[in-house]
Amino acid sequence: GSNWTKHTTAELNNWTSIAYDSGEFVAVSSDGTHRAVYSITNGIDWVTSVGNLPANAWTSVVSAGGRYVAVSNGSVATSIDGITWSIISKPGAWSSIAYSIVSQTLVAVATDGSVMNSTDYGATWTARTTGVEPNSWTSVIYFGTKNAFYAVSSTGIHRVMISQDSGNSWNSMTASQANPWRTIVGGQ
């Protein structure tokens, strides 16, 4: 990460998330005419996805089992190529999505306090409430060496939670500071 080269995307949108799988990058946006782009040239050249991704504010995309899964306010979208998308209506202000290659489980969190998981690559989802506080959950990751999902929140008493059972139940953790946490990152 010491040297960076600026490249222009196909559209000058507010790009919110990017995922990589098998030589292809897919990025989603919260605005603009086309809400997804893809690149098969290591991010040098970007092509507008002229598929059927609705004009939602897409917040997060992840690679999961040979497909891409994206979340927005009220929808989940899945795609095998980043061009054509299948849309699933899921009420909720979905802010972030993560995938465990170990359990082949997707977990999505929302700023309205909702949490859901999927074991079929996003085709169906189950709302999860065990241990989930009604916070504004902003980010979720899967941390492979811990075999656990972690989520952070911008509100509430406990602003960190962990799931060690594929997102089925959660345990609250006290953050070192009561900051409005926005993103969590970690290695596999």
Side-chain angles (χ1 to χ4, degrees):
S2 60
N3 296 313
W4 291 82
T5 303
K6 181 180 177 180
H7 295 281
T8 304
T9 60
E11 295 196 21
L12 298 177
N13 295 0
N14 179 24
W15 299 104
T16 55
S17 184
I18 189 168
Y20 175 82
D21 186 25
S22 301
E24 179 182 47
F25 289 95
V26 170
V28 295
S29 168
S30 62
D31 64 1
T33 302
H34 299 98
R35 304 295 171 106
V37 292
Y38 65 95
S39 173
I40 57 172
T41 59
N42 291 325
I44 296 170
D45 300 305
W46 292 88
V47 178
T48 300
S49 174
V50 294
N52 57 335
L53 194 62
N56 295 4
W58 296 96
T59 55
S60 186
V61 63
V62 68
S63 170
R67 64 200 53 136
Y68 299 97
V69 183
V71 293
S72 74
N73 191 359
S75 294
V76 175
T78 62
S79 175
I80 59 170
D81 57 11
I83 300 168
T84 303
W85 296 85
S86 298
I87 310 304
I88 303 163
S89 177
K90 289 306 289 181
W94 304 109
S95 55
S96 183
I97 188 168
Y99 177 69
S100 163
I101 195 167
V102 174
S103 65
Q104 297 181 338
T105 302
L106 288 156
V107 169
V109 297
T111 56
D112 65 6
S114 301
V115 176
M116 63 180 178
N117 68 351
S118 172
T119 56
D120 57 7
Y121 304 106
T124 59
W125 293 85
T126 303
R128 299 299 179 185
T129 57
T130 303
V132 176
E133 294 184 19
N135 297 352
S136 179
W137 298 105
T138 55
S139 184
V140 63
I141 66 162
Y142 175 74
F143 194 47
T145 58
K146 299 290 185 181
N147 193 25
F149 286 95
Y150 290 81
V152 295
S153 172
S154 62
T155 63
I157 295 172
H158 300 103
R159 296 183 184 201
V160 179
M161 64 178 176
I162 180 175
S163 174
Q164 294 177 304
D165 63 357
S166 300
N168 293 317
S169 62
W170 294 83
N171 293 308
S172 298
M173 301 170 69
T174 302
S176 59
Q177 299 289 321
N179 293 331
W181 301 105
R182 300 281 183 230
T183 303
I184 185 170
V185 297
Q188 292 293 326

